[in-house]
Amino acid sequence: MGLFDFFKKKEKVVLEPVNVDDDAIVALNDAKVIDIAEVSDPVFAQKMMGDGIAFVFEGDKTVLCAPANGTLTVLFPTGHAFGVTTNNGVELLIHCGIDTVNANGDGFRLLTKKQGDTVKAGDPIVEVDLKKLSAKYDMSTMLIVTNANGREITFIDPAEVKRGESVIK
């Protein structure tokens, strides 16, 4: 980082809104969805934190977006994970990569939202430098239902998805 890099204006991430109802859970961005049992971390693979799916992103960078309408109830300052409580009380955890907490935020850039903010599905939350982080970490990104709030939630089978497409049946 050069002396004046600090003063350079960061480009703003602008994405079209995704209009879905409050029962929807959607793709974080364009990705390949894989069965969570395939990820290399046993805590996620064995569903110890809850049922879910994993996303595999392509390219050098991606933006992780809110998977549902609700409240951004958790936002780790390192950017590696965040949680959304939907307007229907379902609690979702998004965890980007395996052991990426050890990156201490290097490779993650928090965008405009902050913990406690209302979010709509598709709102950009964090930008991820996949190229930098994948040199050291498995960048599978998990979407976990930590509390279904009494609802039956069934995820789609592995497939290619676009940002905002439903990931539940």
Side-chain angles (χ1 to χ4, degrees):
M1 178 188 252
L3 178 62
F4 295 103
D5 287 347
F6 178 78
F7 297 105
K8 287 183 182 173
K9 185 165 176 74
K10 301 258 186 197
E11 72 269 9
K12 185 174 181 172
V13 174
V14 178
L15 296 170
E16 290 297 314
V18 175
N19 293 313
V20 296
D21 67 34
D22 286 345
D23 289 326
I25 301 175
V26 302
L28 308 171
N29 211 327
D30 299 358
K32 178 180 171 187
V33 169
I34 62 171
D35 188 317
I36 197 156
E38 293 182 29
V39 301
S40 62
D41 186 317
V43 171
F44 295 114
Q46 296 173 17
K47 303 180 182 182
M48 293 179 196
M49 298 184 73
D51 195 10
I53 54 174
F55 297 88
V56 177
F57 300 102
E58 304 253 331
D60 291 344
K61 291 189 177 190
T62 195
V63 173
L64 301 183
C65 298
N69 300 328
T71 302
L72 188 61
T73 46
V74 176
L75 180 59
F76 284 82
T78 55
H80 79 284
F82 62 92
V84 173
T85 300
T86 72
N87 291 333
N88 292 328
V90 175
E91 296 174 9
L92 304 170
L93 171 69
I94 295 77
H95 194 285
C96 186
I98 307 294
D99 295 329
T100 51
V101 66
N102 297 324
N104 293 317
D106 187 27
F108 296 95
R109 181 168 71 102
L110 298 177
L111 300 172
T112 58
K113 296 292 182 179
K114 59 187 182 309
Q115 190 167 312
D117 282 356
T118 297
V119 293
K120 292 190 66 63
D123 282 350
I125 307 295
V126 62
E127 184 180 65
V128 182
D129 187 333
L130 295 169
K131 185 176 181 181
K132 174 185 264 188
L133 289 162
S134 65
K136 188 171 182 181
Y137 302 100
D138 173 343
M139 292 308 295
S140 299
T141 297
M142 285 61 64
L143 168 62
I144 310 294
V145 176
T146 57
N147 178 357
N149 195 30
R151 297 180 184 273
E152 178 89 20
I153 298 171
T154 305
F155 288 98
I156 63 170
D157 294 327
E160 296 286 330
V161 294
K162 298 286 185 196
R163 182 181 76 89
E165 285 183 358
S166 180
V167 293
I168 56 175
K169 294 179 182 177

